Amino acid sequence: MVEWTDSERAIINSIFSNLDYEEIGRKSLCRCLIVYPWTQRYFGGFGNLYNAETILCNPLIAAHGTKILHGLDRALKNMDDIKNTYAELSLLHSDKLHVDPDNFRLLADCLTVVIAAKMGPAFTVDTQVAWQKFLSVVVSALGRQYH
Amino acid sequence: MNDDCNDGDDDAVDDDDDDDDDDDDDDDDESNYLNVNMSLSSKQKATVKDFFSKMSTRSDDIGAEALSRLVAVFPQTKSYFSHWKDASPGSAPVRKHGITIMGGVYDAVGKIDDLKGGLLSLSELHAFMLRVDPVNFKLLAHCMLVCMSMIFPEEFTPQVHVAVDKFLAQLALALAEKYR
C-alpha cells in the first residue's frame, strides 16, 4: 500500500480543488497528441487531428480531455487504494481500448507540464514531488491489469 | 475559453507541425527515408533556437531549478552525486551543476545541425568517466521542460514543447553515442 504524508495529501487535494478541469484536461490531451503524435492512433474517431491547430480546436478532443481528468478524481477520493480503484479501468484500457500503458506516462508528463504552466512559481519542488508520486501511482494502477 | 483555437482567423498562416517528413529540406533523402532518429525539421530547429534565445535571461535559473527538481522528484539520481557534501534540492553544488549542464545544452543548440559530431568529447566524458545511465537524460529533460513551462507559460506552446523535447532527446542520443 502506498503511504501518503499529510503534506502530500494536502498538496494533491489543493491542486485538484483549484483545477479548471475543462481547461487543463483539454490542454493536456492536446499537448500529448501534439508532442507524441503516435498517441493519435487511439483517436481515429475523433475527427480532424491534421495538425496542432486543428487538434487544439477539436471539440471532441476537448471533451475527452475533461473526461480523462475527471477520471483522476477517483484516485483523489481513494488515495489509500488507488490500485483497486482503477482495476476495472485498467482492464478496460487493456481489453477494450488496447492502449499501450506507456501512453499513461506520456499523458501524465504532459499534464504535469500544463499544470506547471498554470501554477507558475506555486508549482514548487515539494509540489512537483508529491504530484509526480501521485501520477506514478495512478499510471502504475492503470497498467496493472494488463495481461 | 479556448485561447489556443484560432477558429475565426482566416488569415492565419497554416503553420502545421513538421512532425512527419514533409519539408526536411536540409536532410538528405536517405535520412528522410529511414528517419530512425526522429530528426528535427528545419522549422523545428528554428523553433528551438528561437525559444532558447528568449529563455537566455533565465537560463541559469532554469538549469539550477531543473537539476534540483531532478534529485527531488527522482531521488535515485542522487546516486551520481554521492561525492558532494550536499546533494539536496536547492543546495549550492546542485544549483551550480545545473547551471553548468544548462550551459552545455545551450552549446548544443549552437551545434544543432551536427549534435553527434559537435558533442563527441562530451559523449566520451559521459561514456567513460561519468557513465550516467541514459534513462536519466529523459528524467532531466522532463524537469527542464517543467521549468520552461513554469517560467515561460505563454511561449512554451505545444509546438515549442515538441521541438524542444525532440532536441533534448537528440542531445541525449548524441551524449550516449560513445557508450557502447
Side-chain angles (χ1 to χ4, degrees), chain A residues 89-107:
Chain A
L89 254 186
S90 177
L91 269 173
L92 175 80
H93 283 77
S94 159
D95 295 350
K96 289 256 157 58
L97 305 176
H98 307 291
V99 175
D100 180 334
D102 196 53
N103 291 283
F104 306 143
R105 183 184 59 82
L106 299 180
L107 180 58

Side-chain angles (χ1 to χ4, degrees), chain A residues 21-75:
Chain A
Y21 282 77
E22 268 143 33
E23 181 201 352
I24 302 297
R26 174 183 63 80
K27 284 184 169 171
S28 304
L29 183 57
C30 284
R31 195 166 279 249
C32 187
L33 296 172
I34 293 166
V35 177
Y36 309 112
W38 53 94
T39 58
Q40 290 170 28
R41 74 192 304 282
Y42 303 110
F43 295 91
F46 280 69
N48 193 349
L49 302 179
Y50 181 66
N51 59 26
E53 283 68 30
T54 60
I55 290 172
L56 289 161
C57 291
N58 186 317
L60 295 174
I61 294 294
H64 199 69
T66 308
K67 183 174 177 182
I68 291 175
L69 209 52
H70 277 296
L72 285 180
D73 283 340
R74 290 191 228 190

Side-chain angles (χ1 to χ4, degrees), chain B residues 106-156:
Chain B
Y106 264 85
D107 184 60
V109 175
K111 298 170 175 169
I112 204 167
D113 289 316
D114 180 22
L115 287 173
K116 284 200 177 117
L119 299 180
L120 215 49
S121 51
L122 256 187
S123 179
E124 284 172 355
L125 177 77
H126 283 77
F128 305 123
M129 281 217 52
L130 304 177
R131 287 180 287 199
V132 174
D133 190 314
V135 72
N136 296 291
F137 300 147
K138 273 193 205 178
L139 301 181
L140 180 57
H142 173 70
C143 292
M144 285 181 174
L145 297 175
V146 168
C147 291
M148 291 172 189
S149 182
M150 275 171 62
I151 296 180
F152 295 96
E154 300 302 320
E155 294 86 340
F156 197 64

Side-chain angles (χ1 to χ4, degrees), chain A residues 26-27 31 34-38 50-53 56-57 109-110 112-113 116-117 120-121 123-125 128-129 132, chain B residues 1-2 4-6 14-17 19 65 69 72-74 142 146 149-150 153 156-159 161-162 165:
Chain A
R26 174 183 63 80
K27 284 184 169 171
R31 195 166 279 249
I34 293 166
V35 177
Y36 309 112
W38 53 94
Y50 181 66
N51 59 26
E53 283 68 30
L56 289 161
C57 291
D109 283 352
C110 287
T112 302
V113 167
F123 196 64
T124 62
V125 175
Q128 188 180 350
V129 172
Q132 182 70 35
Chain B
M1 251 64 41
N2 182 351
D4 312 304
C5 179
N6 293 322
D14 183 29
D15 73 331
D16 45 321
D17 259 304
D19 49 6
E65 253 322 283
R69 282 166 191 260
V73 179
F74 306 106
H142 173 70
V146 168
S149 182
M150 275 171 62
F156 197 64
T157 62
Q159 294 91 324
H161 181 159
V162 63
D165 192 37

